[in-house]
Amino acid sequence: MPHTVRSRTTPRVLTALALTALLATGCADGGDGDGARSAATPSATPHGYVEGAKEAAEQQSRLLLGDPSNGASRVLDLVSGEVSETAKTPGASRLGTDGRFGFFHTDGGTHVLDSGAWMVDHGDHVHYYRAAIRDVGDLPSGGAAEIRSDATVTAVTDRNGRTGLYDRTRLEKGKVEQVRALPGKHTGAVVPHEEHLIALTGDEDRAKVTVYDRRGKAVASPDAECERPRGDAVTRRGVVLGCADGALLVDGDDGRFTAERIPYGEDVPEPEQAPAFRHRAGSDTLTAPAGDRAVWVLDVGERTWTRVGTGPVLAANTAGEGSPLLVLETDGALHGYDVATGEQISRTKPLLTGADRTASEDATGQAIEVDRSRAYVNDPAGKRVYEIDYNDSLRVARTFDLDIEPGLMAETGR
């Protein structure tokens, strides 16, 4: 009955033996007092058992990589360093993930790839799994715009605002199955949260929060509106929805949902408002561009926004409280900033091949993925990915050379 006890920081052990060893210790299975007896019973299903997967002691991170020029894709195993070739998705211009599945978006639809790496968070402990990489297939809806998941449901919202719900447990078995469609149209993503679905209904100028149950019935409508919605993120404190005046934090307690406004605290011109959020999975600290030469840091716990002045921004992210703000700038280097003071505290050598772009060219190509101990920066023109130890003055820990231009990148196993 293996498990991993949660800690604030988990350094990545680079030996495959340590990373793939199964723990022999048990964990409580709900407090019914039968945990020890079940462990000794050969016929009992061990806590955390997943058919077809191996449980590991540490995070089993993998990078999903795509080449927009030809549709080629790869999976980079960050434990072993091995690179696997996966099916082509011609025309893929965007890549998303729910922590396990990769969603390659094209004008005609979305291809689903099972990375074979994921985690299950039980609050006081975490289970890490690894399995075979598998192509799942294509979502039948044309040109899916936004996809969000939890452990049981995947919500797919198309460009027209129509949302279909898919059985995620069937995706895990390699099958695409829509179970129902939500009524009406939605602005932005529909986000599964607390056994419900958080949505914005209305138009692109002004929308209101609507909460559905898993059967698609509207069960709550917190008294809050979102002007010009943009971006969303799931945190431990609730779902964050970006708006023109800041953000809304939507959360539920025993089926009762509230929406709390987190304003910028000042008038922010539209070009400098946060367009989308990036953060480490499980973190309550979000980042977003604040125009071309600054980054917003939203501390959800403190309900505060901080604007950090930087050089021209290509991408930004952070591991959260106590960690530096990571900013990839047009000089091709990764810069580290102290969020509290706004001061630059570290900088790498130029990492990007031909780093002479402007920040406006950030629509595709650059990403910073962050987990509990490392950050990853893609260099499409150089056909490589850098692993950065952000706790050691942005030291380049490893460099992965590839046979494709990884203009799309997303991390799974988190």
Side-chain angles (χ1 to χ4, degrees):
M1 297 192 294
H3 72 284
T4 298
V5 177
R6 177 178 296 284
S7 61
R8 182 177 181 275
T9 303
T10 306
R12 175 164 293 118
V13 181
L14 297 181
T15 60
L17 177 62
L19 282 167
T20 57
L22 296 179
L23 297 180
T25 56
C27 58
D29 61 355
D32 58 6
D34 293 333
R37 178 173 55 81
S38 297
T41 305
S43 60
T45 300
H47 173 74
Y49 171 78
V50 175
E51 184 178 359
K54 293 182 178 179
E55 189 170 359
E58 297 288 341
Q59 184 170 294
Q60 300 296 290
S61 298
R62 292 174 177 173
L63 288 181
L64 305 183
L65 304 165
D67 187 335
S69 69
N70 57 21
S73 66
R74 303 286 187 268
V75 176
L76 169 58
D77 190 316
L78 294 170
V79 176
S80 67
E82 295 180 354
V83 179
S84 300
E85 182 175 352
T86 47
K88 282 190 173 184
T89 308
S93 59
R94 192 160 55 94
L95 172 61
T97 184
D98 62 3
R100 173 174 178 172
F101 295 96
F103 304 103
F104 289 85
H105 297 277
T106 73
D107 287 340
T110 299
H111 183 72
V112 184
L113 174 70
D114 185 349
S115 73
W118 71 96
M119 62 165 280
V120 177
D121 188 347
H122 287 283
D124 62 339
H125 68 276
V126 180
H127 295 267
Y128 298 107
Y129 298 97
R130 60 187 295 119
I133 301 164
R134 177 167 54 181
D135 280 299
V136 177
D138 297 322
L139 292 171
S141 57
E146 301 293 346
I147 300 178
R148 303 292 186 267
S149 296
D150 66 4
T152 59
V153 67
T154 295
V156 180
T157 304
D158 67 21
R159 292 171 181 159
N160 297 317
R162 302 292 185 181
T163 302
L165 303 182
Y166 290 78
D167 186 337
R168 192 174 185 273
T169 63
R170 300 288 286 175
L171 286 180
E172 294 169 1
K173 299 180 184 299
K175 298 181 180 180
V176 177
E177 181 179 313
Q178 181 173 327
V179 292
R180 61 180 49 88
L182 292 183
K185 295 184 178 182
H186 305 100
T187 303
V190 173
V191 184
H193 178 66
E194 294 290 339
E195 303 299 323
H196 288 75
L197 300 153
I198 310 299
L200 286 170
T201 56
D203 55 41
E204 294 182 355
D205 291 327
R206 188 175 298 277
K208 67 176 183 178
V209 177
T210 299
V211 181
Y212 298 96
D213 65 18
R214 291 304 169 88
R215 295 186 176 275
K217 178 183 177 181
V219 295
S221 182
D223 185 18
E225 289 188 337
C226 183
E227 183 180 352
R228 297 195 300 277
R230 76 281 304 285
D232 60 272
V234 178
T235 74
R236 292 184 176 278
R237 299 178 186 272
V239 175
V240 176
L241 303 173
C243 308
D245 62 349
L248 289 175
L249 176 62
V250 182
D251 198 16
D253 182 14
D254 195 25
R256 295 186 296 273
F257 283 83
T258 60
E260 178 182 353
R261 195 169 299 280
I262 308 177
Y264 287 119
E266 59 184 273
D267 290 332
V268 178
E270 186 170 357
E272 298 179 9
Q273 295 168 8
F277 298 110
R278 298 280 295 173
H279 71 309
R280 176 182 62 78
S283 170
D284 291 332
T285 305
L286 311 182
T287 66
D292 292 341
R293 301 183 65 89
V295 174
W296 287 112
V297 179
L298 171 57
D299 186 327
V300 180
E302 296 296 328
R303 312 295 201 268
T304 58
W305 292 86
T306 302
R307 187 179 187 275
V308 179
T310 65
V313 179
L314 291 175
N317 210 332
T318 183
E321 182 181 359
S323 297
L325 169 64
L326 305 178
V327 183
L328 187 63
E329 301 183 13
T330 53
D331 61 2
L334 185 66
H335 300 248
Y337 292 87
D338 184 299
V339 175
T341 65
E343 295 182 0
Q344 179 176 297
I345 55 176
S346 51
R347 177 183 181 275
T348 68
K349 65 180 183 180
L351 302 177
L352 302 184
T353 301
D356 57 357
R357 291 173 293 175
T358 63
S360 62
E361 294 173 325
D362 186 33
T364 60
Q366 297 307 147
I368 303 172
E369 290 289 334
V370 179
D371 60 30
R372 286 185 171 273
S373 61
R374 295 288 189 266
Y376 297 91
V377 176
N378 59 330
D379 175 19
K383 295 185 176 181
R384 63 176 65 95
V385 170
Y386 296 97
E387 180 182 76
I388 308 295
D389 185 346
Y390 54 78
N391 290 313
D392 188 12
S393 300
L394 305 187
R395 175 178 60 87
V396 177
R398 290 188 289 178
T399 301
F400 300 99
D401 293 316
L402 303 164
D403 63 345
I404 65 169
E405 297 183 7
L408 304 175
M409 181 175 73
E411 185 177 358
T412 64
R414 301 180 298 175

